[in-house]
Amino acid sequence: MKQAPFRLEPVLRLRRTEERAAGLAAAAAAREATEAAERAEQQAQELSTRTPPGGLDGRAFIAAMVASTTAAADVSAARALAVAQAEQAELVRVRWTEAAQRTKGLERLRERHVAALQAAADVAEARVVDDLVTRRHGTDRRREEEGTWTD
C-alpha cells in the first residue's frame, strides 16, 4: 500500500533552508558585534594609556590635545558602532528564532501526518488479522460440524 505523501514537504524543505540561512546570518552578526566591541575596548585601552606630552611648546601641546580629543571621539564612535551591531545581531537572532518556530510548526504537522498514516496502517493490519482469525475459526467450526454429521 502506497502511503500518502506529506503535501507540505516542499514548504518544510524551504523553511529548513530559511532557518539554516537565518542561523548563519545570526552567527555572523554576533561575531561582527563581538569584534566591534573588542575593537572599541582596544581603542579605549590605547586612549587610556596616552599621556600628555611634557615640555612641548604651545603648538605641539595643542596638536597633542586635538589628537587625544580625536582619539576619544573615535572611541566613542567605536562604542556606538558596537552597540548598534549588538542591536542588529539581536534582531537577526530574533528572525532566526522566528524561522525556527515556523519550521518546528511544519515538522509537528509532518509528525502528525506520519502518525496518522501509521495508525491507519495499524488498523488495516489489525483488520486483516481479525479477518484471518475469523475465517480460520469459521473453517475449523465447519470441519467440526461436518465431522459430527459423519459419525
Side-chain angles (χ1 to χ4, degrees):
M1 181 173 129
K2 183 179 176 185
Q3 288 190 351
F6 182 57
R7 292 182 188 184
L8 297 175
E9 191 67 38
V11 177
L12 179 58
R13 282 194 305 268
L14 176 66
R15 295 272 171 91
R16 285 179 177 156
T17 302
E18 288 173 348
E19 180 184 354
R20 278 192 296 273
L24 291 172
R31 186 174 48 254
E32 289 171 6
T34 301
E35 289 171 357
E38 289 172 354
R39 280 191 305 272
E41 188 59 35
Q42 182 182 12
Q43 287 179 352
Q45 287 294 329
E46 290 172 2
L47 180 62
S48 68
T49 59
R50 279 188 172 195
T51 56
L56 297 177
D57 64 351
R59 285 185 175 174
F61 180 77
I62 291 175
M65 293 313 292
V66 168
S68 292
T69 303
T70 303
D74 289 346
V75 168
S76 179
R79 285 184 176 159
L81 178 64
V83 168
Q85 285 189 329
E87 291 170 354
Q88 179 65 28
E90 180 60 23
L91 291 174
V92 173
R93 189 196 62 76
V94 166
R95 284 191 213 121
W96 177 34
T97 302
E98 290 169 353
Q101 288 171 345
R102 286 190 305 270
T103 301
K104 190 66 174 170
L106 276 177
E107 286 173 345
R108 275 182 278 190
L109 280 175
R110 186 176 190 283
E111 288 169 5
R112 287 183 198 154
H113 174 76
V114 169
L117 289 176
Q118 185 61 45
D122 291 347
V123 166
E125 183 180 343
R127 196 172 294 140
V128 168
V129 169
D130 286 348
D131 288 348
L132 287 175
V133 169
T134 304
R135 200 173 302 139
R136 183 174 293 150
H137 179 69
T139 304
D140 291 346
R141 191 168 177 100
R142 206 175 313 121
R143 282 187 190 147
E144 285 177 10
E145 290 176 1
E146 288 175 3
T148 51
W149 287 102
T150 56
D151 287 340

